[in-house]
Amino acid sequence: MSAALRPSPISATVDFDAQGVQHGFLKLPISIDTSAWGAVMIPITVVANGEGPTALLTGGNHGDEYEGITSLMKLASTLEAKDVRGRVIIVPMMNTPAAEAGKRTSSLDGGNLNRSFPGDPDGGPTSQIADYFSRVLVPMCDVALDLHSGGRTLDIVPFAAAHRLDDLDQEGASLAGAVAFGAPYAMMMFELDATKLYDTAVESQGKTFVTTELGGGGTSTPQSLAITDRGVRNFLIHYGLIEGELELPDQPLINVDMPDASCYVQSEHTGLLELTVSLGEMVEVGDVLARVYDMTRTGVPPVEYRAERDGVVIARRFPAKVGMGDTIAVVAEVVESLERDPAR
Ligand SMILES: [Zn+2]
């Protein structure tokens, strides 16, 4: 990051050094048709109590991923200072303009926040939010949890994930947090392009980082929210922010790895999608995952999409209409353990 960047235009109405519970806003100045001298108001809660680590909990990085938004709105309204050791910073809707619009991307500038890092104080609103996180909030934290799900276009099995990192201690600490989260799946995640992700911005500062995918379809369910609520609490217990016992699922944890881009099956056709496998189903290489029908005529056989590897279906396209380049399904490899093979 260049030292020449001006300070962020965002100001906080909370005092990050104060003790106790504060509810406030991150205020980003904007000037738009409906508000000439206005501000984007990003809700934030800070709960601090004495010495201890700082955890940064975020949702709404994408505005249509409601599991994290809902869970963090609940936590922000209920977490008490006496229950915390250290500091918990909660931002339920990082990209508030996107969340208000019920969309993945910002209604102000179309920005996808999780493709906007490290951000720019002189960029559009989305880039300015990214910059504030990169230079103000992330440096304050020791551990960070970012809650995603499939949004309107994907449905994803519930998992917490870490990434392969050059720093093996950092990778191990992050993976331990992903396992402690207690979702049905733990994942070593391969990103199609990690360059501009929040994940990369946090990890590049040496922080312990856990990301999640917890359902999707642009809604939430009692099941997905129960997993999210429990996972957030487990995360805080694991890293010493709150006291308590980890609550883990009854079923044994399924470890999944995404070694490379062949996990992603993407459409080369536009049409009507018929998924022939369900989330969580085991498949073998060559198995038919989906058929895509030409909607402009009858009498044409569908195009078949097949698994390019053995594994478990961990994500699927949610809407039944599919376009060129859309991810239809993701097949991840089931592994015994995600710990590094010491011989490697
Ligand atoms: Zn997301």
Side-chain angles (χ1 to χ4, degrees):
M1 239 169 283
S2 157
L5 292 179
R6 70 169 174 122
S8 171
I10 293 179
S11 59
T13 67
V14 291
D15 176 355
F16 291 104
D17 297 323
Q19 299 291 300
V21 176
Q22 301 171 78
H23 302 289
F25 300 95
L26 306 173
K27 295 176 66 171
L28 167 61
I30 46 165
S31 182
I32 57 176
D33 290 343
T34 53
S35 188
W37 296 350
V40 174
M41 305 288 281
I42 301 172
I44 183 170
T45 292
V46 182
V47 182
N49 184 24
E51 293 294 307
T54 292
L56 176 58
L57 310 181
T58 49
N61 190 335
H62 295 126
D64 63 350
E65 299 176 357
Y66 295 101
E67 295 82 352
I69 294 172
T70 310
S71 186
L72 292 185
M73 292 294 283
K74 288 198 284 183
L75 180 71
S77 300
T78 53
L79 189 60
E80 295 185 54
K82 66 176 175 51
D83 298 327
V84 168
R85 192 168 54 217
R87 179 170 59 170
V88 181
I89 301 172
I90 307 170
V91 184
M93 292 166 287
M94 293 173 87
N95 197 347
T96 296
E100 283 174 348
K103 291 169 58 183
R104 182 172 182 82
T105 57
S106 175
S107 56
L108 292 177
D109 60 4
N112 178 341
L113 180 59
N114 213 27
R115 303 292 184 276
S116 302
F117 282 85
D120 182 349
D122 295 315
T126 307
S127 185
Q128 290 175 310
I129 293 170
D131 170 67
Y132 185 82
F133 272 86
S134 295
R135 291 193 296 152
V136 180
L137 290 183
V138 173
M140 288 183 196
C141 83
D142 300 291
V143 297
L145 172 66
D146 194 28
L147 298 168
H148 288 259
S149 53
R152 289 190 296 185
T153 66
L154 292 170
D155 197 10
I156 308 179
V157 298
F159 68 77
H163 298 103
R164 291 285 177 222
L165 300 172
D166 292 336
D167 181 335
L168 298 189
D169 291 338
Q170 185 189 9
E171 178 188 300
S174 300
L175 178 59
V179 170
F181 188 91
Y185 294 78
M187 164 79 80
M188 188 56 73
M189 196 158 183
F190 176 85
E191 306 284 357
L192 285 173
D193 182 359
T195 316
K196 294 180 177 176
L197 297 181
Y198 176 56
D199 313 50
T200 305
V202 178
E203 288 162 352
S204 70
Q205 295 189 33
K207 311 294 184 178
T208 299
F209 180 74
V210 175
T211 187
T212 63
E213 299 286 352
L214 295 160
T219 187
S220 65
T221 66
Q223 292 76 19
S224 66
L225 265 178
I227 291 167
T228 309
D229 291 346
R230 186 184 69 195
V232 171
R233 188 168 170 277
N234 281 344
F235 179 92
L236 293 174
I237 292 170
H238 175 77
Y239 291 113
L241 276 298
I242 62 175
E243 301 229 336
E245 295 278 314
L246 292 184
E247 242 185 282
L248 297 173
D250 299 333
Q251 303 297 322
L253 178 71
I254 302 170
N255 290 300
V256 282
D257 194 5
M258 294 174 70
D260 58 51
S262 75
C263 296
Y264 292 83
V265 178
Q266 292 179 315
S267 184
E268 296 180 3
H269 299 85
T270 294
L272 176 67
L273 179 66
E274 177 195 11
L275 261 294
T276 54
V277 290
S278 299
L279 279 184
E281 205 171 314
M282 298 296 300
V283 296
E284 292 180 1
V285 64
D287 284 355
V288 175
L289 301 177
R291 305 185 184 103
V292 177
Y293 296 84
D294 182 345
M295 293 177 79
T296 63
R297 67 203 67 242
T298 56
V300 181
V303 181
E304 290 184 335
Y305 282 87
R306 293 171 184 274
E308 292 179 28
R309 55 186 315 123
D310 297 348
V312 60
V313 179
I314 57 115
R316 58 154 289 178
R317 180 168 173 80
F318 191 73
K321 287 184 75 174
V322 65
M324 295 287 289
D326 291 338
T327 289
I328 291 175
V330 180
V331 177
E333 188 179 337
V334 178
V335 294
E336 281 288 304
S337 162
L338 295 171
E339 313 251 328
R340 292 256 186 182
D341 178 352
R344 221 165 28 182

